Amino acid sequence: MTDEVRWLSEDEQRSWRAFLRGHRMLAEALDEALLVHGIRLSEYEILSMLSEAAGGRLRMSVLADMVVQSRSRLTHTATRLERLGWVERHSCLEDRRGVELVLTDAGREALENLSRVHVTSVRESLVDQMTPEEFAVLGQAMAKVVAALGGGTER
Amino acid sequence: MTDEVRWLSEDEQRSWRAFLRGHRMLAEALDEALLVHGIRLSEYEILSMLSEAAGGRLRMSVLADMVVQSRSRLTHTATRLERLGWVERHSCLEDRRGVELVLTDAGREALENLSRVHVTSVRESLVDQMTPEEFAVLGQAMAKVVAALGGGTER
DNA sequence: GGAATGTATTTGAACTTTAAACAGTTGCCG
DNA sequence: CGGCAACTGTTTAAAGTTCAAATACATTCC
């Protein structure tokens, strides 16, 4: 009753480790690039999602799902961004339980600069380190992971 | 002086997002699987590296580099693992600044079970979601990232 | 209509991570 | 030797994250 485990082959192990290690280093690099400008990747993502949403606004829970953060975490982070003046909370009129987070003009302006910094580091650290084909495969493979782990709006 | 940014193409953007999102979800899934057993991935990695090292022991700074964690973080985490009785600190005789972290018998035993749990979830959530070819490309691509970001012992 | 149940967000305490400062050690160079 | 720069690991305090409970509104079903 104790066995049945399918261990990883040598190659699989090597790939898995590279993935883990690579992601950690990448996350570090991306955070560092943004941190100079007073923000970190997880916060940047929030602003970025808001900027692409209609009206620059999204409901807390929808946003939480998009960036794969717990609702509680988003609450705290939103408070921080609010203090920076980049975001505002508006309670929904339709569903009065809900709260919408809205990107302010200042937030949009900040984002414009941040996105330059961010894209540049994503390129340098990730995209430009591999062939376009490799990057495409990587994206396609990870999309499968997303789908498998409940890519929808579940949590 | 403000332009010069090479934005991501539609496809690149899609891949990048899948990567981010996929990794987050994966990390969540892996943590969850281990958390049932009272530990998280970042701690598991430490035990795992120790178990593979000669004598089940490694110096703090070497280990910190291997798992891509700050020294400070490792210090705290090691204290936690020490309290669980899975690890012990021994100061090096050669270099008296140094400290070696040693896997205890209890730690090795715990690891045996944990590794089953872990491998199973890595397979389910990642490896088995894609073709072997895709996984190989992913590993190879991420290895390049590691190399680019200073795969050595730098930090 | 109102009790029971469900959903959305917040709160606050416990815990983890980060950043900066510290204390001991080593090693080199004059 | 003497001192200074560089290194290792720990400490501390602040910042961020998690977890569980609280709050507030919505919905359902008698």
Side-chain angles (χ1 to χ4, degrees), chain A residues 1-117:
Chain A
M1 205 74 165
T2 168
D3 232 42
E4 288 294 358
V5 183
R6 288 166 54 220
W7 299 98
L8 299 183
S9 70
E10 278 282 304
D11 283 355
E12 286 171 334
Q13 176 100 293
R14 197 172 7 264
S15 287
W16 165 234
R17 295 248 162 120
F19 179 75
L20 250 192
R21 196 168 163 68
H23 183 281
R24 292 259 164 88
M25 298 180 110
L26 176 63
E28 213 173 52
L30 298 183
D31 261 354
E32 201 175 313
L34 286 172
L35 218 44
V36 177
H37 302 266
I39 209 177
R40 49 193 67 209
L41 181 55
S42 60
E43 295 163 331
Y44 173 83
E45 285 183 84
I46 290 171
L47 297 177
S48 169
M49 291 300 159
L50 284 178
S51 81
E52 288 173 24
R57 57 179 58 221
L58 283 171
R59 279 192 61 166
M60 293 294 278
S61 47
V62 173
L63 183 51
D65 286 345
M66 295 177 85
V67 298
V68 195
Q69 292 187 15
S70 72
R71 281 143 200 248
S72 177
R73 179 177 178 182
L74 179 57
T75 291
H76 291 297
T77 307
T79 305
R80 237 176 292 143
L81 293 174
E82 213 174 12
R83 276 201 289 264
L84 286 172
W86 290 351
V87 122
E88 272 172 9
R89 266 182 243 250
H90 290 304
S91 47
C92 313
L93 300 172
E94 326 89 66
D95 181 347
R96 316 216 301 125
R97 290 169 302 186
V99 170
E100 279 187 335
L101 209 60
V102 188
L103 192 62
T104 63
D105 289 348
R108 210 176 277 281
E109 198 177 321
L111 187 57
E112 184 145 340
N113 298 305
L114 293 171
S115 61
R116 291 168 191 283
V117 172

Side-chain angles (χ1 to χ4, degrees), chain B residues 32-67:
Chain B
E32 201 175 314
L34 287 173
L35 218 44
V36 175
H37 302 265
I39 210 177
R40 49 193 70 205
L41 182 55
S42 60
E43 294 162 334
Y44 173 84
E45 285 182 84
I46 291 171
L47 297 178
S48 170
M49 292 300 158
L50 284 177
S51 82
E52 288 173 24
R57 58 179 57 220
L58 283 171
R59 279 192 60 165
M60 293 293 276
S61 48
V62 173
L63 183 51
D65 286 344
M66 293 177 87
V67 299

Side-chain angles (χ1 to χ4, degrees), chain B residues 74-94:
Chain B
L74 180 57
T75 291
H76 290 299
T77 308
T79 304
R80 242 176 288 143
L81 292 175
E82 213 175 12
R83 276 202 289 265
L84 285 172
W86 289 351
V87 122
E88 273 171 7
R89 266 181 242 252
H90 290 305
S91 47
C92 311
L93 300 172
E94 327 89 66

Side-chain angles (χ1 to χ4, degrees), chain A residues 116 120, chain B residues 1-7:
Chain A
R116 291 168 191 283
T120 302
Chain B
M1 204 67 156
T2 168
D3 233 41
E4 288 293 356
V5 183
R6 287 167 54 221
W7 299 97

